[in-house]
Amino acid sequence: MLGAYVLLGAVLFVLGLVGFVVRRNLIIMFLCTEMMFQGIIINLVAFGRYPLAGAPSFDGQVFALFLIAVAASEAALALALVVLLFRHRRTLDANALTLLRDE
Amino acid sequence: MAGLLTIILALGAVGLFLALPGGQARAVRAGQIGLAASGVGLLAATLGWLFPWPGANFFAGCALVALFAAVRVITHPRPVYSALYFVLLILAAAALLVQMQAEFLAAALVIVYAGAILVTYVFVIMLAQQARPLVHDIRSHEPLLGCLAGFLLLWSIAVRLFAAPVPPAVPAADLPAAGTVAAVGTSLLTTYVIAMQLAGLLLLAALVGAIAIARRRPLRDPLLEGEE
Amino acid sequence: MTNQTIQRVEGALRNPLVLVGVGAVLTVPAALVLVLAFPLYRGLLSDPFWFPLLVMAAVLFLILNATAVCILAERKIAGFTQDRYGPNRVGFWGLLQPVADGLKFLLKEDIIPRRVDKPLFLLAPCLALIVSLVGFAVIPWAGEVHWPWMEAGTTVSTQVARLDIGILYVIAVGSLGVYGLVLAGYASNNKYSFYGGLRATAQMISYELPLGLALLCVLLTTGTLRLEEIVNQQAHSGVWYVFVHPLAFLLIVICLFAETNRAPFDLPEAEQELVGGYHTEYSAMKFALFFLAEYAHMITGSAVAIALFLGGWAPLPFTSWLADNTAWWAMLLKFGVYLLKVALFIGVMMWVRWTIPRFRFDQLMRLAWRSLVPLGLLLMAAVAVLTLFGGQRVWWAGLGVNVLVLLGVLWWAARSKQPMTGRQEDLPPVEFGAM
Amino acid sequence: MRDEDIIVLQEPKLSPAERLYLPQIFDGMVTTLRHMFSLKRRQQVVRQYPEDTRQGRGELRIANYRGVHRLNKDAEGRVACVACFMCSTACPAHCIHIEAGESPWPDREKYPVKFEIDELRCIYCGMCEEACPVDAIELTPHYELVGRTREEMIFDKEKLLQVFEETKHTKPRKDPPITDYGLTGGQGKDVASPNVERKV
C-alpha cells in the first residue's frame, strides 16, 4: 500500500521536475513546482497513514498542511513576480530572461 | 523485476520525450501511446504483483486520472489547458487523500489549490494570453536531457522502492475514530502550535511581499503638476 | 396541428379545473405505482446504503423541478414589484410558463460560434451545473427517520453523505464553481464574455473570505463541521444560531448573493455593461444549463445557510418540538418545513434582486475588502475570545458580542471621515499596461 | 478659467445609519413590498393586451396614428395613386417599390402597375404620406401587423387597397383630393397631370 502511494508521489514529483526543466513558459514552470508539491503531499500523508513502524498518526497530514501553506505563499510570490516580469518584458519565455547570463 | 521496471520507465520516458511540445504530430501520438502503456504497466506492477490490497481499484482509478492529468499539464501546448488539467490532478489527489482518511486535508487541498491558487493561475494566464500560440509554448527546452534526468531519478527511486521490504498492512480501523478533523486540529494546535504560527507568519510575509511586488505605482498627472 | 387546435388547447389549459385534471392524470398513476410497489422497495427505505441514494434521487428530481418553478416565481415577483402581472398567458395564472420556457430552450437553435475554444466552451456550462448540484450531498434534509418496520431504536438519516468535514465540503465544492464562469468567459473568445469571467473570478475569490470568516464564528460555537449535528443542536436547544450570531448571518447572506452572482452582485453578467457577461455567446440548452446552475446554486446556498442559522428542519424556534421525533410523518413534516424555509429564503433573494440596483465593480471590491473582511475578522476575534472563556454555551453571550461589535462598527462609521461609497474618492491615474 | 467659475460641490454629510446602508436597503425593500401587494395599482397600470386594446379603451388617436399603410381609392373606385414616385423618393427606409405604367384612364398619364411596401423594412415615419401629392398613400390606425414569412409582409397593391376597404370606416380619407380628375369642375390646378385636358 505504502509503496503504491510513494511510487505515485515519486512519479508526480519527477513529472513536475521534468516539466520545470523542459517547459519554457514561466507560468507552466511554476505549475510544475506545484505538481512536485502534490507528489510530496501524497507521500507525506501516506507515510503518516501507513508507517513502517508504530501506529498510524496524523502527523503526516499536519506536515502536508504546512506544505499547502508554503505552496500558497510560493504561488502568491511567484505569480506576483511573473506579473512583474511580464509587465517589463512583455513575454513569459524563460529563455528570454538572460540579463544576468555571462555571455 | 528490475529489468521489467526499467523497460516500463524507459517506455514512459521515451513517450514523454515524444509527447512534449515541439515534436511532429505523429510522434506526439506515439508518445502518448507509450506513456499510457507505461502508466498502466506501472500501476499493474504496483498493484497486482507486489502489493495486492483492498482499495486497489479505487487507487488505480484515481492514480490513472492523476498521472494522465500530470502528463497533460507538462505536454499541453496551451497554458490554460495545463492549468485545467492541474485542477483535475488536484481532484484526483484529493480523492486519494480521502482514501487515506485525510478528509480534512482533501478539503483543504481543494479549497486552497483548486479554489484559490489555480484560479489565480488561470487569471494570470488569461491576462497574459496572446492571439496565437507562442514559440515558448510550442517548443521545449532540452527535452532529451530533461527526460533522461527524470528517467534516471525515477528509476533509482522505483528500484529502491521495489527492493525495500513491504511494510505491514495496517487495517483502516487503527486510526482514531473520533474524526480526522478533530484529531488533525488537536495535533496542529498542541504539538505543532509554533510551527503553525510560523506558517501563518510565512503567509503574512508572502501576502505583504506579493502586494509590494505587484503594486503599480501611480503616475504623476502632468496636468495637475502643471497647475501647481 | 392547426392553429385552431393549438388555440383550443391553450384555452383549455387556462382553465384551472382542466389543469388540475391533467395534473391528476399525470400524477395519480405514478402515485398508484409507488403505493402498489411499496413492498418491493420497503427494504430499500430502511437500508443505510440505499436510502441515501433514494434521497439523492428524490432531492435531485425536486431541485431540478424547483429551478423551473423558481424561474416562474422570479418572473412573477419581478412583475409584481414593477406593478405588472408577470407571465400569465400559458396555463392558468401562467403556471405552465416553465414548460413553455423549457420547450423553448430545447427547441432553439444551438449555436457554437466559429472562433470559440470548443472543448472548453462545451465544458463550461456542464461544470457550472455539476458544481452547483453536488453541494446537496451533505444537507441534512429531515434528520433521522425510523420506519415502522425497522428494528426498534435504529434509524436511517435522510442525508446523502454524512461527512466529517460537512461544511468544508460545501466550501470546497463552491470554490470550484468559479471555473464554469471563467471558462465560459475565456472560451467564448468575446471580450464581453472575458470581462464577465474575470469579474466572476475576482468577485468570488473576494467574497469567499468574509464567507469563511462568518462561518468560523458559527463553527466556534457549534464545535463541529457536521451540518446534521449543527441542525440537531439548534433543534434541541431551540436557539437558532441566527439569534446568537445575527451579524455573521448578515455576512453570510451578503456573501451568498455574491457567490451566486445575483443582483445586486450580478457584475459578471451585467446586461447593461457586458451584454450578457460570461454567457453572451451561449444559446439554447447550454444557456439553460447556466440558468439551471444559477438557481440550483441559490437553492444549495440557501439550504446551507438555513442549516447553519435558521434551524434547518426545526419547525419553530425556542422549542425543541419534533427534535427527537423520528416517526415517518415527523420526517415528512421536517422535510416540508425545510423546503418551506428554502422557498422563503429564495423569495427574499428575488425580492432583494428586484429592489437594489447593481454595485459598481470598485464598490463591490471595496465592500468586500474594506467592510466585510474587517467586520468578519473583528467578529471572529470577539467570538474566539468568548469561546476561550466558555461563553459559546450561553446564547445571549454570543448575541451580546454581536451587538457590541455592531455598536463598535457604528461608532467607527460615525467618526470616520472617509465616505464608504467611493463615489467621492479620486482614483489616482495608473500606468497603462496589459495586466 | 477663473477661480470663481469653479463650483465646489459640498457632498452631503451622511449620518452613521446612512453609512451603514442597511436602513436604506430596508426602506427600499419595504417600497417594493408595497408595490408587490398593491393589486389595485397593477390593475390600473397594466393593459391585458389582446383582450384590452387601446382602441377598445378609446385611447388610440386614430387621426394621426401611424400603422399599416393603405392605398386610397378615388370616388370611382380606382387607385388614387398616379405613380409619381414622390413617396418612394421620400422614404428614408427605401421600402416602397413602384413600377409605373401608362394609365388606362384619360385623366392622368401614369398609374402604378406594381405598388409594394415592405412592412418589415418600414419605420412608420409617415414621410410618404407627407410627400404624396394626391393623398393616395396613408397610414392607418391598424397596428396588429403579423405574418409568418417575410414574403407575406411585403404588401402589394391589392393588399394595400384591401386595407383601404377595411379601414375607410374608422378613418375616412383625409382630405378631398387635390386633383378631382376633372370630375367636379375643380378649382385647383391638377398637380398630378397638369397636361391632361379636363372634361367639364
Side-chain angles (χ1 to χ4, degrees):
Chain A
M1 283 180 240
L2 178 64
Y5 287 112
V6 172
L7 191 63
L8 179 67
V11 173
L12 286 183
F13 184 89
V14 169
L15 279 176
L17 192 66
V18 173
F20 189 81
V21 173
V22 164
R23 295 302 298 264
R24 286 168 60 183
N25 187 324
L26 278 175
I27 297 177
I28 305 286
M29 287 168 71
F30 282 114
L31 265 184
C32 290
T33 60
E34 304 285 346
M35 206 199 300
M36 287 148 81
F37 275 123
Q38 289 303 309
I40 299 166
I41 286 173
I42 289 179
N43 267 11
L44 282 178
V45 176
F47 284 137
R49 177 72 182 77
Y50 307 107
L52 286 173
S57 71
F58 291 103
D59 291 354
Q61 296 186 31
V62 174
F63 272 92
L65 270 178
F66 289 138
L67 209 60
I68 291 180
V70 172
S73 324
E74 182 254 12
L77 283 176
L79 280 177
L81 283 171
V82 167
V83 167
L84 199 67
L85 268 174
F86 183 78
R87 211 183 282 155
H88 278 273
R89 307 295 296 268
R90 314 298 306 163
T91 178
L92 289 173
D93 189 358
N95 284 9
L97 306 171
T98 54
L99 203 64
L100 291 178
R101 188 188 283 174
D102 187 21
E103 277 176 323
Chain B
M1 188 64 224
L4 188 63
L5 208 59
T6 312
I7 293 172
I8 291 175
L9 291 179
L11 191 62
V14 172
L16 188 63
F17 171 68
L18 291 175
L20 276 172
Q24 300 292 322
R26 199 171 295 160
V28 168
R29 180 65 57 203
Q32 284 164 352
I33 293 169
L35 274 171
S38 165
V40 172
L42 212 56
L43 276 175
T46 322
L47 300 169
W49 300 336
L50 285 168
F51 320 110
W53 45 293
N57 290 334
F58 185 81
F59 173 83
C62 293
L64 262 185
V65 173
L67 288 178
F68 167 71
V71 167
R72 290 307 278 160
V73 169
I74 63 173
T75 56
H76 207 288
R78 299 187 53 187
V80 175
Y81 280 84
S82 285
L84 290 176
Y85 277 115
F86 197 84
V87 176
L88 188 62
L89 171 62
I90 299 288
L91 293 180
L96 284 171
L97 293 184
V98 169
Q99 195 190 16
M100 289 190 278
Q101 283 178 297
E103 288 159 9
F104 177 70
L105 198 63
L109 197 70
V110 173
I111 293 173
V112 174
Y113 264 100
I117 297 180
L118 259 295
V119 174
T120 326
Y121 269 102
V122 172
F123 200 87
V124 172
I125 290 171
M126 285 182 183
L127 281 174
Q129 181 81 22
Q130 309 284 339
R132 48 187 63 250
L134 296 169
V135 66
H136 59 261
D137 280 331
I138 53 176
R139 288 266 174 273
S140 305
H141 178 74
E142 300 285 1
L144 186 63
L145 286 179
C147 289
L148 193 65
F151 164 71
L152 286 177
L153 181 59
L154 192 58
W155 179 79
S156 52
I157 294 176
V159 168
R160 273 307 287 153
L161 197 64
F162 277 72
V166 179
V170 186
D174 271 9
L175 275 179
T180 61
V181 182
V184 172
T186 312
S187 183
L188 203 60
L189 288 173
T190 52
T191 321
Y192 300 102
V193 64
I194 295 176
M196 201 197 71
Q197 297 293 334
L198 284 177
L201 207 61
L202 178 71
L203 282 171
L204 184 66
L207 179 71
V208 174
I211 293 174
I213 291 172
R215 197 170 66 102
R216 249 183 265 182
R217 279 164 196 79
L219 282 177
R220 293 254 179 88
D221 192 337
L223 273 178
L224 287 178
E225 276 176 10
E227 285 200 2
E228 272 166 13
Chain C
M1 269 197 287
T2 61
N3 260 349
Q4 279 176 339
T5 342
I6 293 175
Q7 271 172 6
R8 212 170 296 148
V9 170
E10 271 179 5
L13 285 178
R14 286 212 207 151
N15 188 338
L17 287 178
V18 174
L19 211 58
V20 169
V22 172
V25 168
L26 290 177
T27 49
V28 166
L32 265 179
V33 168
L34 275 182
V35 169
L36 289 178
F38 181 67
L40 294 177
Y41 64 86
R42 205 173 79 162
L44 296 184
L45 282 185
S46 53
D47 187 285
F49 176 76
W50 283 105
F51 185 58
L53 286 184
L54 289 177
V55 171
M56 181 172 80
V59 169
L60 211 59
F61 176 77
L62 209 66
I63 301 286
L64 287 176
N65 283 304
T67 51
V69 178
C70 273
I71 293 170
L72 174 66
E74 173 108 82
R75 296 175 65 178
K76 276 281 177 192
I77 287 178
F80 290 165
T81 50
Q82 295 164 359
D83 291 333
R84 298 185 282 112
Y85 287 93
N88 62 353
R89 291 284 145 183
V90 194
F92 172 66
W93 207 66
L95 282 178
L96 292 182
Q97 186 68 38
V99 181
D101 282 346
L103 278 177
K104 185 192 78 175
F105 279 133
L106 274 174
L107 298 178
K108 265 196 163 179
E109 185 185 359
D110 197 359
I111 298 169
I112 298 180
R114 194 183 299 158
R115 299 293 296 272
V116 300
D117 193 329
K118 207 169 163 192
L120 296 187
F121 189 75
L122 297 179
L123 178 70
C126 309
L127 208 61
L129 182 63
I130 290 170
V131 162
S132 57
L133 280 180
V134 287
F136 290 117
V138 291
I139 291 167
W141 289 105
E144 304 278 319
V145 62
H146 171 83
W147 298 107
W149 57 89
M150 283 169 70
E151 284 175 43
T154 57
T155 52
V156 284
S157 92
T158 51
Q159 194 176 357
V160 180
R162 294 160 61 94
L163 293 182
D164 195 33
I165 51 171
I167 185 74
L168 273 185
Y169 168 82
V170 178
I171 304 255
V173 166
S175 67
L176 293 178
V178 67
Y179 284 101
L181 277 51
V182 170
L183 291 187
Y186 170 77
S188 294
N189 199 2
N190 169 336
K191 69 182 78 155
Y192 292 117
S193 303
F194 189 63
Y195 280 136
L198 289 186
R199 282 183 175 189
T201 333
Q203 176 179 332
M204 290 179 96
I205 289 186
S206 301
Y207 278 82
E208 256 166 34
L209 287 170
L211 182 74
L213 289 171
L215 272 181
L216 279 178
C217 295
V218 192
L219 296 182
L220 280 174
T221 308
T222 61
T224 177
L225 292 174
R226 288 173 176 270
L227 279 175
E228 64 268 28
E229 270 182 38
I230 295 175
V231 172
N232 262 332
Q233 288 171 2
Q234 299 178 66
H236 279 105
S237 68
V239 181
W240 295 357
Y241 286 127
V242 66
F243 303 123
V244 186
H245 296 294
L247 276 183
F249 178 64
L250 187 70
L251 277 182
I252 294 240
V253 169
I254 293 174
C255 295
L256 208 58
F257 279 108
E259 293 280 312
T260 49
N261 297 317
R262 298 274 302 175
F265 297 103
D266 56 346
L267 275 292
E269 48 190 302
E271 305 84 2
Q272 291 86 348
E273 307 158 31
L274 299 182
V275 190
Y278 57 88
H279 53 56
T280 303
E281 299 287 353
Y282 284 88
S283 56
M285 211 51 210
K286 292 201 289 298
F287 175 74
L289 286 185
F290 276 119
F291 226 61
L292 276 180
E294 179 180 333
Y295 284 94
H297 204 149
M298 274 167 74
I299 298 175
T300 332
S302 52
V304 171
I306 285 164
L308 282 173
F309 286 97
L310 296 175
W313 40 256
L316 291 171
F318 301 115
T319 70
S320 55
W321 183 53
L322 278 186
D324 282 320
N325 198 334
T326 54
W328 62 271
W329 57 268
M331 187 270 286
L332 288 183
L333 192 60
K334 290 170 182 174
F335 191 48
V337 166
Y338 208 127
L339 289 185
L340 187 68
K341 284 181 182 176
V342 170
L344 284 178
F345 201 98
I346 287 175
V348 171
M349 286 180 99
M350 292 173 178
W351 176 18
V352 168
R353 172 175 175 181
W354 296 104
T355 302
I356 304 173
R358 184 184 304 132
F359 282 98
R360 211 175 53 209
F361 196 71
D362 61 319
Q363 289 171 336
L364 176 95
M365 283 293 150
R366 193 169 283 119
L367 179 68
W369 291 99
R370 281 211 193 155
S371 305
L372 297 186
V373 170
L375 179 63
L377 279 173
L378 196 64
L379 200 60
M380 199 197 69
V383 176
V385 170
L386 185 74
T387 313
L388 187 66
F389 294 110
Q392 81 272 25
R393 299 266 164 263
V394 196
W395 72 271
W396 48 264
L399 186 61
V401 161
N402 271 264
V403 170
L404 276 182
V405 169
L406 183 66
L407 287 178
V409 169
L410 272 177
W411 172 77
W412 176 81
R415 67 181 293 277
S416 93
K417 292 279 181 290
Q418 265 198 331
M420 283 164 83
T421 51
R423 179 167 52 89
Q424 296 96 332
E425 273 180 42
D426 285 336
L427 287 175
V430 291
E431 194 183 336
F432 179 77
M435 291 250 179
Chain D
M1 185 182 278
R2 294 166 305 168
D3 276 355
E4 51 265 37
D5 289 340
I6 298 172
I7 303 167
V8 181
L9 287 178
Q10 289 296 322
E11 296 286 345
K13 194 143 173 51
L14 300 178
S15 71
E18 282 169 336
R19 274 159 193 276
L20 267 188
Y21 289 120
L22 291 175
Q24 270 71 24
I25 286 176
F26 286 124
D27 257 14
M29 296 196 45
V30 168
T31 305
T32 41
L33 195 67
R34 248 198 334 261
H35 279 265
M36 238 187 270
F37 289 102
S38 66
L39 187 67
K40 213 168 142 194
R41 195 170 347 206
R42 207 174 302 153
Q43 281 165 347
Q44 278 171 1
V45 173
V46 179
R47 290 188 192 101
Q48 300 278 337
Y49 162 59
E51 297 92 26
D52 178 13
T53 58
R54 288 170 68 187
Q55 207 152 4
R57 289 195 182 199
E59 289 167 1
L60 196 70
R61 302 174 71 187
I62 288 173
N64 53 8
Y65 188 86
R66 299 202 296 263
V68 187
H69 310 77
R70 70 181 187 195
L71 261 187
N72 289 340
K73 291 180 181 172
D74 62 13
E76 294 179 13
R78 304 174 303 182
V79 57
C81 175
V82 293
C84 67
F85 289 91
M86 294 287 267
C87 52
S88 72
T89 310
C91 181
H94 303 300
C95 66
I96 305 179
H97 175 74
I98 306 175
E99 279 173 24
E102 199 164 326
S103 161
W105 309 298
D107 56 349
R108 57 187 108 163
E109 285 177 348
K110 295 192 289 178
Y111 89 112
V113 178
K114 251 187 175 180
F115 194 105
E116 286 176 352
I117 299 181
D118 189 345
E119 299 287 345
L120 290 178
R121 221 170 169 190
C122 175
I123 59 170
Y124 301 94
C125 62
M127 300 283 266
C128 46
E129 198 175 358
E130 298 288 330
C132 184
V134 293
D135 280 335
I137 186 166
E138 270 179 353
L139 297 172
T140 65
H142 184 80
Y143 54 80
E144 284 164 327
L145 180 65
V146 287
R148 285 200 171 71
T149 58
R150 285 171 193 278
E151 290 73 35
E152 202 178 313
M153 297 301 284
I154 298 174
F155 281 24
D156 58 5
K157 191 169 80 179
E158 280 67 43
K159 207 159 174 184
L160 289 166
L161 289 169
Q162 179 73 25
V163 175
F164 172 72
E165 288 298 327
E166 281 165 12
T167 55
K168 67 183 176 191
H169 306 295
T170 46
K171 182 184 181 183
R173 207 175 162 193
K174 195 161 52 183
D175 294 315
I178 297 171
T179 164
D180 55 0
Y181 309 134
L183 293 174
T184 54
Q187 301 87 355
K189 197 172 185 233
D190 195 338
V191 183
S193 42
N195 299 331
V196 173
E197 199 182 310
R198 286 186 187 161
K199 286 188 279 180
V200 180

